[in-house]
Amino acid sequence: MPQYQTWEEFSRAAEKLYLADPMKARVVLKYRHSDGNLCVKVTDDLCLVYKTEQAQDVKKIEKFHSQLMRLMVAKESRNVTMETE
Amino acid sequence: MVLLESEQFLTELTRLFQKCRTSGSVYITLKKYDGRTKPIPKKGTVEGFEPADNKCLLRATDGKKKISTVVSSKEVNKFQMAYSNLLRANMDGLKKRDKKNKTKKTKAAAAAAAAAPAAAATPATPATPAAPAATAATAAQ
């Protein structure tokens, strides 16, 4: 279960994983306020994990979540490369 | 598992976050959904249903209470805005690293004023006149 240290790598790998099999892949977000950390997991039975305690990552993760949501809801199945600035 | 309308889901999700502020986690799952309502039978013919391509399933739980909603392309715009705001508003208990970044930036700007021409090319240039004053103030403190 590879855990990523940089957001860049994680989001690219996660996007790839989702595009490989959109129906199987899922995103799990776990937030613990008491511990002050956030964990994102993208899996299709193979897991990619990213953990953070940084407030600046919340925005990136939330954007990522929205982008994936849009991908899932888009009718046309084409290879969309998400721009993670 | 409670299936809710998007708006109600957002309300319940807010409540979940508030409930778990002192202890516990909030789990949110996002998955593409094709609209099937019956499980795929192991044997025999698959029910003739048309897989819809434009929906996704959102689930949330705090370990005890479970809620879920289906978002389709028609609702996604409105839902996404509200959802993003919700996440940002509630996930505010994380550490802020801004202080370190800011001091690094101001120090870098001060160093840039003294030496490297490369730094002058960065968009931080307009801030440079203000930066030395800021660093002087912070150094004085």
Side-chain angles (χ1 to χ4, degrees):
Chain A
M1 190 161 93
Q3 181 166 333
Y4 289 79
Q5 302 301 323
T6 53
W7 176 250
E8 268 286 305
E9 293 174 20
F10 173 78
S11 64
R12 247 178 279 151
E15 181 192 346
K16 254 183 165 177
L17 194 63
Y18 169 73
L19 290 172
D21 191 345
M23 273 317 287
K24 206 173 176 195
R26 52 203 179 273
V27 187
V28 185
L29 192 60
K30 173 173 156 181
Y31 173 67
R32 283 189 69 90
H33 188 92
S34 47
D35 292 346
N37 64 7
L38 183 60
C39 176
V40 194
K41 187 201 282 191
V42 180
T43 175
D44 69 347
D45 298 341
L46 159 72
C47 288
L48 306 171
V49 183
Y50 180 76
K51 287 196 191 147
T52 181
E53 297 178 349
Q54 307 293 337
Q56 60 183 355
D57 283 335
V58 173
K59 197 172 172 190
K60 295 183 195 161
I61 291 174
E62 162 259 307
K63 257 190 180 173
F64 172 74
H65 226 241
S66 303
Q67 280 171 326
L68 268 180
M69 205 190 298
R70 278 187 183 277
L71 261 183
M72 294 175 179
V73 167
K75 262 188 179 163
E76 316 93 60
S77 47
R78 52 195 157 101
N79 271 339
V80 185
T81 33
M82 298 192 297
E83 290 282 317
T84 35
E85 98 276 27
Chain B
M1 173 74 72
V2 187
L3 183 63
L4 306 165
E5 295 292 325
S6 343
E7 279 192 31
Q8 219 185 335
F9 175 81
L10 291 171
T11 322
E12 291 297 322
L13 183 58
T14 314
R15 259 194 231 146
L16 269 185
F17 271 113
Q18 287 166 348
K19 228 174 67 170
C20 294
R21 264 179 115 73
T22 42
S23 74
S25 338
V26 179
Y27 295 85
I28 302 176
T29 310
L30 175 63
K31 190 182 169 171
K32 193 169 162 72
Y33 178 55
D34 64 357
R36 70 185 79 195
T37 48
K38 289 189 184 167
I40 304 171
K42 280 186 186 172
K43 290 184 189 175
T45 47
V46 180
E47 288 277 324
F49 81 106
E50 290 194 17
D53 191 31
N54 59 338
K55 288 189 256 204
C56 69
L57 178 65
L58 255 177
R59 289 198 199 109
T61 178
D62 64 348
K64 306 226 175 106
K65 176 166 174 168
K66 289 178 174 176
I67 51 174
S68 63
T69 189
V70 177
V71 186
S72 64
S73 48
K74 291 181 189 166
E75 317 165 326
V76 74
N77 281 319
K78 203 176 115 184
F79 179 82
Q80 199 180 304
M81 270 202 314
Y83 180 68
S84 305
N85 289 334
L86 211 168
L87 284 189
R88 245 178 291 166
N90 286 296
M91 298 190 178
D92 59 349
L94 302 181
K95 295 183 203 158
K96 301 201 173 158
R97 207 169 53 171
D98 281 346
K99 273 190 182 174
K100 264 193 189 171
N101 275 346
K102 274 187 185 162
T103 27
K104 272 189 184 170
K105 277 184 187 169
T106 39
K107 276 186 184 171
T122 58
T125 333
T128 336
T135 24
T138 37
Q141 285 173 355

